[in-house]
Amino acid sequence: MTTTDENTVPATEPLAAEQSPRLEWAKHAPEVWKAMLRLDKAATQGLDPKLSELVKIRASQLNHCAFCLDMHTKDALAAGESVERIVQLAAWEESRHFYTEKELAAIELTEAVTVLTDGFVPDEVYGKAAAHFGEAELAQLISAIAVINTWNRFGVTCRLTPGHYRPGQYA
């Protein structure tokens, strides 16, 4: 059997080669990286850690950011989130019964803010979120969504490599 490290599943055949990052942006823009860490901490302040991780996972799924998916699924598990709810997140509309109405409102808002296909967040989506979150908490949620989208853009553009993150590594 072949494995690449302790985070991967044993394979009966060799796994594909791991891609190298295009650019280690944090190394070359350390002040931006430090500012992003501070911004991330500020954006998630006061939010339930499990909800915050679900939002980060969903945005990262939509943005195809493998590095952030690796990080936030591990952080969600470390925060006590279930594997089942993490797995079902990709199909949340068909798996609504796994989530509370408040979580569903946050997930739907995450999609609207992340995708912006029509160039705006629909009033109905915003209204659902506003019905479940007070103004201060809603402001934090919107901030957390915006920040993970920024992280995703760094991760995807620089092709950061998933699989090596340890829960809480950047805390």
Side-chain angles (χ1 to χ4, degrees):
M1 269 196 250
T2 305
T3 60
T4 56
D5 67 30
E6 68 274 5
N7 292 324
T8 59
V9 177
T12 56
E13 297 180 29
L15 299 174
E18 185 175 279
Q19 288 186 325
S20 298
R22 286 181 177 152
L23 175 70
E24 293 181 43
W25 78 270
K27 177 180 168 185
H28 298 288
E31 293 307 313
V32 175
W33 185 74
K34 290 175 196 172
M36 283 297 299
L37 288 174
R38 289 190 306 273
L39 183 60
D40 188 74
K41 186 175 181 175
T44 57
Q45 190 172 14
L47 289 178
D48 174 82
K50 288 189 211 179
L51 176 69
S52 176
E53 293 304 331
L54 289 174
V55 163
K56 290 175 181 182
I57 292 166
R58 187 61 190 136
S60 299
Q61 289 171 337
L62 293 166
N63 289 322
H64 304 281
C65 185
F67 181 84
C68 292
L69 279 170
D70 177 53
M71 175 187 294
H72 296 295
T73 55
K74 289 174 180 174
D75 283 345
L77 290 168
E81 187 54 82
S82 73
V83 170
E84 189 171 46
R85 283 170 35 104
I86 293 169
V87 170
Q88 291 301 318
L89 193 53
W92 68 269
E93 290 176 292
E94 292 80 29
S95 305
R96 296 178 68 83
H97 60 284
F98 285 92
Y99 309 99
T100 67
E101 290 299 321
K102 184 175 182 175
E103 290 168 334
L104 289 167
I107 293 165
E108 193 171 0
L109 183 63
T110 299
E111 288 202 8
V113 172
T114 299
V115 179
L116 287 178
T117 1
D118 296 322
F120 62 92
V121 173
D123 289 340
E124 179 184 340
V125 172
Y126 184 87
K128 283 182 195 176
H132 290 282
F133 294 87
E135 287 186 348
E137 190 178 21
L138 183 56
Q140 291 300 128
L141 177 61
I142 294 167
S143 299
I145 296 167
V147 171
I148 189 57
N149 273 279
T150 302
W151 280 121
N152 289 165
R153 275 122 181 98
F154 285 121
V156 171
T157 303
C158 298
R159 195 184 289 136
L160 301 181
T161 308
H164 305 286
Y165 177 78
R166 303 287 180 268
Q169 181 175 337
Y170 301 121

